[in-house]
Amino acid sequence: EFNLRTGTPARSFAGGGAPHQIAVSPDGNELYSANENGFVQFWDLNTGQQIGSNLWLPTGAYELAGRPSNGLLYVTSGGYVYVVDPVSRTQINYALAGGLTRQIAFTADGSIGIVANENGWVVFIK
């Protein structure tokens, strides 16, 4: 975490492994981190402490994004997209997309998700 006024580090989060992507909850109270070592972490931004234990996925977690329309997190991992409930901190669903799923983003209203794939295509989530 950086102080944007001074450009200096304010605090750090010792997540371990190989963090790839972070996202902040809509209310600004939690931080989510996708880790290449195969897990997602949840952090309380008010205390700087990890919430619960790591949520392990079958393969490395690369990117994640919150979906505005339902509040769930979507995590890319290998050729999969995992759906994670940030409230219960559990995986609730997944979809096989094939290839090597990476970047993920949603439209502002959350109606469509777009997943970039290193194998040369994109996947749309409805």
Side-chain angles (χ1 to χ4, degrees):
E1 183 175 63
F2 284 86
N3 179 324
L4 295 178
R5 289 192 179 116
T6 64
T8 58
R11 64 179 171 175
S12 61
F13 298 82
H20 265 253
Q21 178 77 32
I22 60 171
V24 176
S25 63
D27 65 7
N29 290 322
E30 292 185 4
L31 174 74
Y32 314 118
S33 174
N35 196 296
E36 185 179 352
N37 285 20
F39 54 87
V40 176
Q41 292 177 307
F42 306 86
W43 300 89
D44 182 319
L45 286 174
N46 297 307
T47 66
Q49 299 298 309
Q50 185 172 346
I51 303 168
S53 56
N54 297 340
L55 172 61
W56 290 91
L57 300 175
T59 58
Y62 294 101
E63 310 295 332
L64 59 77
R67 188 170 193 168
S69 59
N70 64 15
L72 299 174
L73 295 173
Y74 288 68
V75 183
T76 62
S77 178
Y80 292 86
V81 176
Y82 293 97
V83 183
V84 173
D85 180 347
V87 175
S88 65
R89 293 179 280 290
T90 58
Q91 175 196 323
I92 59 172
N93 208 346
Y94 70 94
L96 175 61
L100 296 170
T101 53
R102 289 297 184 258
Q103 296 290 336
I104 184 167
F106 287 93
T107 56
D109 67 359
S111 62
I112 299 174
I114 302 132
V115 180
N117 196 300
E118 282 188 15
N119 286 24
W121 66 83
V122 296
V123 173
F124 295 93
I125 300 171
K126 205 107 165 105

